[in-house]
């Protein structure tokens, strides 16, 4: 079947073995790729109940049928594993050359298990793979690992690497590529660290098989031109996601001081226009003509790539209103391989714990030196940093009285939107299949435009539609969603790309069926690993229900618990899940998840 190479690479680091094999064709039509492949592989081959940081856990790196093709923003792959942060299904996507060269090397996915005896790298070179011991890379920042490996393997390669955070098993350590592209905030960097795997190098010169090369070429030509003519294009390439700082401030959803407030006094100083006045360049993913990585110099004069999430979380959320200093924290996070969103969340939590005297250490809101020192303690697991490296949920269980303002869902720290006055976005975070990550949780702009404070069925339906597109279609195809989200690049392009690449014609509702299958399988994975389900896991943090904001246009507002429960019940019903959030047998059968339904039925009571 065209579009997919049909091959996967299996790597056992403990045995030093690599095996190239074909995977079952049914995976392609049932799960498409990327996240869909990862969820199915983890379901089928991961032993139940493994410790995510044990050698038994598997790391899945997967692309989809559009990954690496010369079409807009196709340079993305999914990194997935049982998450060491949430103990459920965890994934993230990362843009970069690794996506292109993995597919050109002849693979749709790579599955890594075992633990190397010493720190090692994996080199995948055109359907050959080799594991090499590389203790000399220990402790190196991600950019240095990358330049070292580029010297050795040349320029036409893709690299994924971890920093000290991954080596030290910080549970929200991520994976970094090309000094600023990062993915896997559910702790995929810690999984690599637990396997003693410092980096993966992809070298590939093959071509990716497509069904109709001429159509694809024509579509590529037309679509690139179409992107250039979209009304928001010029502004997007000037500011990328950074203009969201001003938008969030205006709409009182910019997280401030550990999500106490939705506005920040210094928002202008860290916003899109401030960034523009400092901007010295732009970076992005391969095959993208709408590159969104804004480069500025940080307070040390070093180059950093900024986007909304890292500035919201390492700026407003910790009270820091100096963009060059926010950039310095971002660079520290990228070099250490720790997720900027979770780091900003954990720092905000710790500053609040200090203010409330729940800890002995003294930190002040907005003080850069305090934030940097704390970040260093976290990635090296020194002092209180050792506890904080476990994530905000675990830390809150040790700090009595902090549970209500530990800002996470299912153990994953909330990303950059305050939801005191955004019930739909709160539901999006609550029901995201990996925890509170904006990648899967996004209704905020629709909600602000259409129905700010309502707890309505229309909102639930919109959320499910967006989950199907963002977390279903984009994460399985696997391509970047931002041209669609931010520029209005139409979804129909991707359906046409898919047909030209694979020769298969799928309607939008058929893509939605695949998306539902993936979401239901992810939910089944959580149920299997936890041995059941409690709907409380689909609730956002208590702060948003209990503590009103004191500032901004929505001051005094909190989420309504009954309204939230109503929307959650509706969400479960619409998804074909029971009132306890467990997929019904009929739903799983309809989605073709037959053996999965049997296994879930053996663990919990499954309603028909
Ligand atoms: S829009 Fe940004 S994140 Fe998406 S592919 Fe382009 S550069 Fe990468």
């Amino acid at each position: 079947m065209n579009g997919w190479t049909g091959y996967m690479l299996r790597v056992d680091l403990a045995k030093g073995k690599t095996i190239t094999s074909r995977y079952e064709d049914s995976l392609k039509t049932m799960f498409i790729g990327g996240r869909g492949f990862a969820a199915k592989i983890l379901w089928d081959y991961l032993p139940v109940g493994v410790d995510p940081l044990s050698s038994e856990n598997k790391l899945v790196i997967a692309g989809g049928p559009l990954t690496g093709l010369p079409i807009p923003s196709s340079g993305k792959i999914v990194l997935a594993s049982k998450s060491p942060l949430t103990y459920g299904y965890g994934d993230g996507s990362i843009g970069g050359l690794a996506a292109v060269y993995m597919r050109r090397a002849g693979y749709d996915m790579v599955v890594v298990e075992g633990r190397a005896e010493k720190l090692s790298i994996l080199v995948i070179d055109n359907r050959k793979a080799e594991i090499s011991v590389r203790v000399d890379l220990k402790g190196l920042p991600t950019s240095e690992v990358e330049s070292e490996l580029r010297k050795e393997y040349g320029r036409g390669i893709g690299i994924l690497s971890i920093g000290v955070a991954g080596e030290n098993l910080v549970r929200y350590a991520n994976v970094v590529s090309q000094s600023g592209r990062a993915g896997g905030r559910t702790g995929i960097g810690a999984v690599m660290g637990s396997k003693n795997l410092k980096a993966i190098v992809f070298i590939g010169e093959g071509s990716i098989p497509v069904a109709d090369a001429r159509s694809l070429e024509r579509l590529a030509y037309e679509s690139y031109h179409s992107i250039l003519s979209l009304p928001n294009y010029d502004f997007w390439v000037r500011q990328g996601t950074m203009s969201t700082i001003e938008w969030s401030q205006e709409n009182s959803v910019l997280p401030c001081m550990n999500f106490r407030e939705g506005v920040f006094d210094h928002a202008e100083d860290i916003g899109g226009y401030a960034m523009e006045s400092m901007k010295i360049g732009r970076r992005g993913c391969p095959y993208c003509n709408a590159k969104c990585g804004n480069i500025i110099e940080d307070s040390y004069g070093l180059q950093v790539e900024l986007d909304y999430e890292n500035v919201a979380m390492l700026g407003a959320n910790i009270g820091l209103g100096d963009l060059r200093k926010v950039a310095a924290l971002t660079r520290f996070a990228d070099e250490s391989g720790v997720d900027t969103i979770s780091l900003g969340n954990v720092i905000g939590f710790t500053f609040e714990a200090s203010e409330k005297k729940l800890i002995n250490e003294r930190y002040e809101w907005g003080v850069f030196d305090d934030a940097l020192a704390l970040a260093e303690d976290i990635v090296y697991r020194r002092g209180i940093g050792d506890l904080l490296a476990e994530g905000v949920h675990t830390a809150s269980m040790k700090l009595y009285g902090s549970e209500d303002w530990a800002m996470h869902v299912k153990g994953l720290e909330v990303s950059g939107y305050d939801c005191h006055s955004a019930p739909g976005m709160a539901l999006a975070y609550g029901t995201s299949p990996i925890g509170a990550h904006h990648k899967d949780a996004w209704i905020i702009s629709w909600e602000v435009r259409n129905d700010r404070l309502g707890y309505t069925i229309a909102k639930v339906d919109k959320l499910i539609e967006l989950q199907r597109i963002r977390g279903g279609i984009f994460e399985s195809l696997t391509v970047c969603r931002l041209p669609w989200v931010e520029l209005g690049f139409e979804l129909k392009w991707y359906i046409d790309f898919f047909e030209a690449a694979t020769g298969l014609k799928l309607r939008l509702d058929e893509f939605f069926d695949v998306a539902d299958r993936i979401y239901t399988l992810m939910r089944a994975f959580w149920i299997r690993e936890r041995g059941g389900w409690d709907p409380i896991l689909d609730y956002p943090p208590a702060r948003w229900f209990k503590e009103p904001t004191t500032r901004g246009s929505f001051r005094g507002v909190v989420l309504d618990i009954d309204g939230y429960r109503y929307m959650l019940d509706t969400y479960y019903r619409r998804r074909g899940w029971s009132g306890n959030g467990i997929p019904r047998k009929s739903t799983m059968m309809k989605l073709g998840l037959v053996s999965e339904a049997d296994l879930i039925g053996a663990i919990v009571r499954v309603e028909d």
Side-chain angles (χ1 to χ4, degrees):
M1 223 183 269
N2 285 305
W4 298 271
T5 68
Y7 284 91
M8 65 191 280
L9 175 71
R10 285 162 51 208
V11 179
D12 187 328
L13 292 166
K15 295 185 181 138
K17 270 193 171 168
T18 64
I19 302 169
T20 294
S21 60
R22 292 197 75 89
Y23 59 84
E24 286 170 34
D25 270 352
S26 60
L27 263 188
K28 299 172 190 169
T29 44
M30 286 188 76
F31 294 96
I32 295 182
R35 160 181 276 181
F37 280 9
K40 181 65 173 152
I41 291 288
L42 291 173
W43 175 273
D44 282 348
Y45 299 108
L46 191 73
V48 180
V50 299
D51 176 348
L53 295 179
S54 72
S55 66
E56 282 176 288
N57 197 8
K58 292 183 198 302
L59 166 68
V60 183
I61 303 164
L66 301 189
T67 303
L69 293 175
I71 54 172
S73 48
S74 68
K76 286 260 175 187
I77 36 176
V78 165
L79 314 168
S81 209
K82 179 173 176 181
S83 164
L85 190 59
T86 67
Y87 286 74
Y89 173 86
D91 72 16
S93 60
I94 185 167
L97 293 165
V100 177
Y101 289 112
M102 181 180 89
R103 292 261 287 158
R104 286 199 198 155
Y107 296 110
D108 293 332
M109 73 181 135
V110 175
V111 181
V112 183
E113 63 182 28
R115 174 185 161 86
E117 214 172 289
K118 294 187 175 151
L119 195 67
S120 300
I121 63 166
L122 171 65
V123 181
I124 298 169
D125 182 353
N126 292 299
R127 288 236 177 110
K128 289 195 304 284
E130 206 173 80
I131 302 157
S132 315
V133 172
R134 289 300 301 263
V135 284
D136 58 306
L137 300 176
K138 187 168 171 52
L140 284 194
T142 55
S143 67
E144 285 182 37
V145 175
E146 186 133 353
S147 60
E148 248 338 281
L149 295 175
R150 277 192 194 287
K151 270 188 240 154
E152 290 168 42
Y153 294 97
R155 297 196 67 77
I157 62 174
I159 298 168
L160 301 174
S161 70
I162 60 166
V164 284
E167 289 179 42
N168 291 332
L169 309 183
V170 174
R171 287 179 188 267
Y172 40 97
N174 62 6
V175 177
V176 179
S177 192
Q178 297 170 234
S179 307
R181 321 262 90 208
R185 57 177 301 244
T186 47
I188 306 299
V191 173
M192 272 180 74
S194 72
K195 300 192 172 309
N196 256 333
L197 182 60
K198 180 74 176 172
I200 306 176
V201 178
F202 297 93
I203 306 167
E205 280 120 31
S207 55
I208 302 163
V210 294
D212 187 344
R214 287 183 68 163
S215 278
L216 197 69
E217 207 176 307
R218 179 182 51 77
L219 285 167
Y221 179 83
E222 290 170 4
S223 57
Y224 278 121
H225 276 81
S226 155
I227 288 177
L228 292 177
S229 63
L230 291 168
N232 196 30
Y233 181 82
D234 290 339
F235 188 60
W236 170 256
V237 293
R238 274 170 47 198
Q239 295 204 358
T241 57
M242 283 294 297
S243 62
T244 312
I245 294 281
E246 279 91 346
W247 182 88
S248 291
Q249 172 82 350
E250 215 175 282
N251 292 294
S252 301
V253 294
L254 181 65
C256 181
M257 298 170 91
N258 196 29
F259 295 86
R260 264 184 207 169
E261 305 285 352
V263 291
F264 177 46
D265 285 345
H266 302 286
E268 231 177 75
D269 301 328
I270 60 169
Y273 290 98
M275 182 281 300
E276 259 198 274
S277 71
M278 303 174 193
K279 185 168 173 176
I280 53 170
R282 196 155 68 93
R283 280 194 217 133
C285 310
Y287 293 129
C288 179
N289 70 339
K291 293 197 188 326
C292 66
N294 298 298
I295 311 295
I296 71 161
E297 282 182 355
D298 69 7
S299 48
Y300 299 98
L302 297 167
Q303 293 192 7
V304 188
E305 187 174 327
L306 292 181
D307 68 24
Y308 169 72
E309 288 290 337
N310 46 51
V311 175
M313 297 307 295
L314 288 168
N317 195 51
I318 66 169
L320 179 59
D322 179 328
L323 191 58
R324 293 202 193 275
K325 289 181 175 168
V326 174
L329 290 175
T330 302
R331 186 175 54 78
F332 173 83
D334 287 344
E335 291 290 26
S336 309
V338 65
D339 175 58
T340 51
I341 299 170
S342 286
L343 183 64
N345 187 311
V346 170
I347 292 174
F349 170 85
T350 313
F351 281 10
E352 183 159 358
S354 171
E355 181 187 59
K356 292 184 164 145
K357 302 203 168 37
L358 294 190
I359 55 176
N360 296 326
E361 292 78 358
R362 292 282 73 91
Y363 302 107
E364 290 291 329
W365 290 107
V367 175
F368 168 74
D369 289 344
D370 286 2
L372 184 61
L374 184 55
E376 284 171 355
D377 286 343
I378 290 169
V379 302
Y380 289 102
R381 283 186 171 273
R382 293 185 304 230
I384 193 167
D386 192 34
L387 171 64
L388 298 167
E390 296 293 298
V392 83
H393 179 216
T394 302
S396 72
M397 291 192 297
K398 298 268 163 58
L399 299 178
Y400 181 72
S402 66
E403 296 88 343
D404 283 0
W405 38 272
M407 303 305 289
H408 71 94
V409 174
K410 301 181 180 70
L412 181 65
E413 288 79 16
V414 176
S415 52
Y417 296 94
D418 184 77
C419 294
H420 280 91
S421 56
M425 189 62 188
L427 183 72
Y429 278 139
T431 58
S432 155
I434 56 173
H437 191 353
H438 61 285
K439 175 164 75 89
D440 280 275
W442 182 269
I443 191 175
I444 188 81
S445 53
W446 184 92
E447 182 164 46
V448 164
R449 273 198 314 273
N450 292 284
D451 174 15
R452 182 64 191 262
L453 295 176
Y455 294 79
T456 63
I457 292 177
K459 215 172 253 194
V460 176
D461 287 343
K462 187 70 192 173
L463 171 62
I464 292 176
E465 180 196 327
L466 291 172
Q467 286 181 339
R468 285 171 171 158
I469 297 171
R470 295 171 72 94
I473 296 179
F474 283 101
E475 295 295 307
S476 61
L477 277 176
T478 303
V479 287
C480 175
R481 66 187 179 275
L482 290 180
W484 168 73
V485 176
E486 304 285 353
L487 297 172
F489 182 56
E490 283 176 41
L491 210 50
K492 92 173 202 8
W493 285 108
Y494 297 97
I495 294 174
D496 292 346
F497 295 150
F498 178 78
E499 186 181 348
T502 65
L504 302 176
K505 200 171 173 61
L506 251 61
R507 295 184 312 270
L508 187 61
D509 61 299
E510 291 171 313
F511 275 108
F512 282 2
D513 287 344
V514 174
D516 288 352
R517 184 174 297 122
I518 295 169
Y519 267 67
T520 300
L521 183 60
M522 285 193 283
R523 173 54 62 111
F525 184 89
W526 277 89
I527 293 167
R528 186 184 83 171
E529 296 303 312
R530 297 186 66 91
W533 194 252
D534 184 339
I536 199 70
L537 292 161
D538 293 326
Y539 274 69
R543 162 160 275 172
W544 289 336
F545 292 103
K546 292 183 177 173
E547 284 179 40
T549 52
T550 63
R551 316 191 33 230
S553 42
F554 287 89
R555 66 184 157 276
V557 174
V558 285
L559 293 177
D560 175 62
I561 193 86
D562 295 331
Y564 187 85
R565 178 74 222 190
Y566 170 71
M567 287 206 298
L568 183 61
D569 284 345
T570 309
Y571 178 90
Y572 286 162
R573 251 197 329 277
R574 289 287 208 254
R575 281 222 167 273
W577 299 353
S578 74
N580 289 327
I582 294 167
R584 292 179 182 280
K585 187 164 184 188
S586 52
T587 302
M588 295 188 80
M589 301 303 266
K590 197 175 92 200
L591 294 170
L593 299 172
V594 178
S595 59
E596 290 84 352
D598 288 344
L599 204 148
I600 291 302
I603 298 171
V604 285
R605 197 176 77 78
V606 174
E607 293 176 19
D608 283 342

